[in-house]
């Protein structure tokens, strides 16, 4: 009898041990951000209104209608006069880029931001276990990740991932790769390097769908240090709660709305189709449908379900098209579908700065306030669309404004060619007051400005009144 009892006790202890081991194992799979460094190019690379005008005027393939289109696009883009361009633009060689132009642009960023990040955190390059680099529009041999490894003399067993073609949502894809590695490897340090190479990708033709990218994209980048070391969790800034990726590449219309291709004259550029907003909305809705149950409280999900059922029932009772509803029915029927309130589970919204229309569209769909949209709008104005790194400039703005307190939850949303929508939720681990090297430190007191009006209209608005038959480019 005693042997049976001992066997039962041993089995019980073993089960408890396995449960504890499984729980303890999960604690080592968490993904934390220790620090991040956004790249701030030197002041001699700033694009003010006058210099932008000079660049446009020296693009010989443009006519009056293209000038009018560009003026409208630039004025409505939400971009200010302090954004940055690659050095090739200031040398006047954007029409004839070389491979070394793209490489030197990236290396300038690598040596600055990755170096600053490692020095500030006291981490040696030899301690890095995982390196993920995403630069969509430049692929070199050896790879850009190899150039970083060579410069910083990292270990020969470092796990390396080099991503290209992933577009503006690539940084969250990179974070997801690190998260997956952390699930099978304990006590690791990872660096994610995210940027875009603009030097070889200036479009010099006159196709309007391809000119637009010249107006939106600007130089930038970010290096992010992540870990799953339990001993470092108290030093971390953020903890990853969940991440959802949505890919609509199987849909032809979504796949074709963002393409790198050549125009009719063989000039390489980035094509943005008219159905892009529709494709983005569709991917956005599908992404939210998956992530909402993961990040919102049950009470909000139940409230939304009840309101949606009531709205659906009420609208189904309305008369068919062409027949006016009764006054009572018209008064009781909701004007539009109900919107789920993401602010019940999210404190801050970190939105990709794809353009003013993108930010405003997300604001309408999520019923966000001007306060919620301020970080993205100000980042777009100050730094422009820096592709996959833009999310981290938005996060830097929140930190510099001292908005991020312990326990707050930050929702990141990004879009990319393919077509993709990726989102994730971070929890703030400790109060963040903006470090000495925050990319916003020198400018934060000037934001938000009294107006975001672009001076292009004041300087070049006369183009709107020009006659195509008599128009000449002024000297």
């Amino acid at each position: 009898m005693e042997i049976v009892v001992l066997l039962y006790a041993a089995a019980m202890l073993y089960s408890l041990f396995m449960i504890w081991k499984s729980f303890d194992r999960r604690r080592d799979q968490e993904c934390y951000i220790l620090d991040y460094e956004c790249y701030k190019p030197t002041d001699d690379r700033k694009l003010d209104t006058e210099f932008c005008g000079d660049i446009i005027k020296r693009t010989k393939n443009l006519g009056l209608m293209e000038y009018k289109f560009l003026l409208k696009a630039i004025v409505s883009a939400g971009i200010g006069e302090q954004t940055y361009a690659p050095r090739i633009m200031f040398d006047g060689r954007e029409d004839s880029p070389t491979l070394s132009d793209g490489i030197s642009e990236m290396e300038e960023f690598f040596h600055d931001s990755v170096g600053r990040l490692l020095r500030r955190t006291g981490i040696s390059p030899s301690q890095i276990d995982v390196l993920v680099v995403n630069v969509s529009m430049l692929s070199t041999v050896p790879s850009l990740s190899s150039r970083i490894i060579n410069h910083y003399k990292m270990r020969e067993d470092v796990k390396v991932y080099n991503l290209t073609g992933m577009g503006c949502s690539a940084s969250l894809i990179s974070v997801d790769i690190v998260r997956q590695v952390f699930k099978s490897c304990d006590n690791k340090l990872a660096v994610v390097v995210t940027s875009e190479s603009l030097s070889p990708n200036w479009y010099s033709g006159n196709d309007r769908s391809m000119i637009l990218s010249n107006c939106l994209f600007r130089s930038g980048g970010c290096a992010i240090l992540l870990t799953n070391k339990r001993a470092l969790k108290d030093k971390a800034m953020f903890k990853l709660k969940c991440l959802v990726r949505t890919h609509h590449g199987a849909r032809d219309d979504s796949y074709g709305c963002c393409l790198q291709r050549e125009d009719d004259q063989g000039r390489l550029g980035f094509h943005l189709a008219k159905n892009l907003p529709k494709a983005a909305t569709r991917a956005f809705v599908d992404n939210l449908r998956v992530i909402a149950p993961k990040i919102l409280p049950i009470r909000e999900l139940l409230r939304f379900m009840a309101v949606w059922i009531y709205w659906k029932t009420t609208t189904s009772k309305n008369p068919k098209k062409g027949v006016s509803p009764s006054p009572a029915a018209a008064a009781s029927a909701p004007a539009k579908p109900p919107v789920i309130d993401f602010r019940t589970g999210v404190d801050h919204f970190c939105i990709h700065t794809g353009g003013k229309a993108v930010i405003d569209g997300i604001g309408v769909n999520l019923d966000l306030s001007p306060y919620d949209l301020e970080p993205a709008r100000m980042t777009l104005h100050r730094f422009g669309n820096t592709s996959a790194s833009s999310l981290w400039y938005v996060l830097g703005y929140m930190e510099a404004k001292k908005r991020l307190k312990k326990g707050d939850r930050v929702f990141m949303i990004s879009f990319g060619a393919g077509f993709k929508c990726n989102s994730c939720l971070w929890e703030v681990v400790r109060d963040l007051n903006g470090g000495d090297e925050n990319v916003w430190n020198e400018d934060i007191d000037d934001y938000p400005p009294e107006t975001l009006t672009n001076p292009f209209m004041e300087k070049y608005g006369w183009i709107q009144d020009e006659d195509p038959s008599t128009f000449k480019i002024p000297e």
Side-chain angles (χ1 to χ4, degrees), residues 124-391:
S124 167
S126 62
Q127 294 178 269
I128 301 302
D129 304 290
V130 183
L131 174 65
V132 186
V133 178
N134 63 258
V135 176
S136 289
M137 306 288 282
L138 179 65
S139 180
T140 67
V141 179
S143 66
L144 294 174
S145 56
S146 293
R147 294 177 184 276
I148 294 175
I149 291 170
N150 177 263
H151 179 78
Y152 290 101
K153 307 305 177 187
M154 295 182 177
R155 299 197 318 265
E156 65 274 7
D157 63 342
V158 60
K159 295 182 183 297
V160 184
Y161 302 86
N162 195 87
L163 308 182
T164 62
M166 293 288 102
C168 296
S169 63
S171 65
L172 294 191
I173 296 174
S174 300
V175 170
D176 191 35
I177 290 174
V178 172
R179 179 182 66 155
Q180 298 300 331
V181 173
F182 283 175
K183 286 183 178 180
S184 57
C185 302
D186 300 339
N187 296 313
K188 300 300 180 185
L189 287 168
V191 170
V192 167
V193 180
T194 175
S195 186
E196 192 54 82
S197 176
L198 301 184
S199 293
N201 293 292
W202 173 263
Y203 175 64
S204 57
N206 57 9
D207 186 322
R208 293 189 186 184
S209 70
M210 300 168 76
I211 292 175
L212 195 57
S213 62
N214 291 347
C215 303
L216 294 175
F217 291 102
R218 297 292 187 269
S219 294
C222 184
I224 309 145
L225 180 63
L226 304 102
T227 189
N228 64 345
K229 289 187 176 184
R230 197 186 308 177
L232 296 177
K233 69 177 184 178
D234 293 332
K235 297 181 180 180
M237 302 174 74
F238 305 95
K239 176 183 177 180
L240 183 63
K241 304 295 290 184
C242 68
L243 190 151
V244 171
R245 293 165 55 181
T246 302
H247 202 306
H248 280 185
R251 304 180 65 113
D252 290 342
D253 54 343
S254 295
Y255 171 80
C257 68
C258 297
L259 286 174
Q260 185 184 22
R261 63 174 178 83
E262 295 173 333
D263 64 12
D264 295 337
Q265 285 75 45
R267 299 185 182 91
L268 187 65
F270 197 64
H271 165 73
L272 303 176
K274 291 182 179 180
N275 69 319
L276 175 59
K278 182 178 179 180
T281 300
R282 188 163 51 221
F284 182 48
V285 170
D286 284 355
N287 187 276
L288 293 183
R289 189 178 291 119
V290 177
I291 200 170
K294 299 175 183 290
I295 66 176
L296 298 182
I298 295 295
R299 66 179 185 276
E300 172 58 22
L301 299 175
L302 294 175
R303 182 204 67 82
F304 174 75
M305 184 181 298
V307 174
W308 185 86
I309 292 173
Y310 171 74
W311 174 82
K312 195 72 173 177
T313 304
T314 304
T315 53
S316 65
K317 293 179 181 179
N318 285 345
K320 295 182 180 180
K321 185 177 180 180
V323 180
S324 300
S326 64
S332 62
K336 58 182 180 179
V339 177
I340 195 167
D341 188 359
F342 271 78
R343 283 176 290 191
T344 58
V346 176
D347 300 293
H348 310 281
F349 293 84
C350 192
I351 302 169
H352 168 52
T353 59
K356 184 177 181 296
V358 173
I359 298 171
D360 292 346
I362 292 176
V364 170
N365 280 284
L366 297 185
D367 194 25
L368 302 182
S369 68
Y371 177 86
D372 296 323
L373 298 178
E374 180 186 308
R377 285 174 172 163
M378 299 307 109
T379 300
L380 178 64
H381 184 267
R382 174 61 181 84
F383 293 98
N385 179 356
T386 57
S387 190
S389 65
S390 67
L391 289 172

Side-chain angles (χ1 to χ4, degrees), residues 5-6 45 122 153 201 258 413 471 474:
V5 172
L6 288 174
R45 292 172 57 185
K153 307 305 177 187
N201 293 292
C258 297
I413 313 166
F471 174 73

Side-chain angles (χ1 to χ4, degrees), residues 395-403 433-434 438 440-441 444:
L395 191 65
Y397 182 90
M398 296 176 184
E399 185 186 353
K401 282 292 187 181
K402 299 178 174 54
R403 292 188 178 190
N433 298 317
N438 186 294
W440 282 94
N441 277 353
I444 197 63

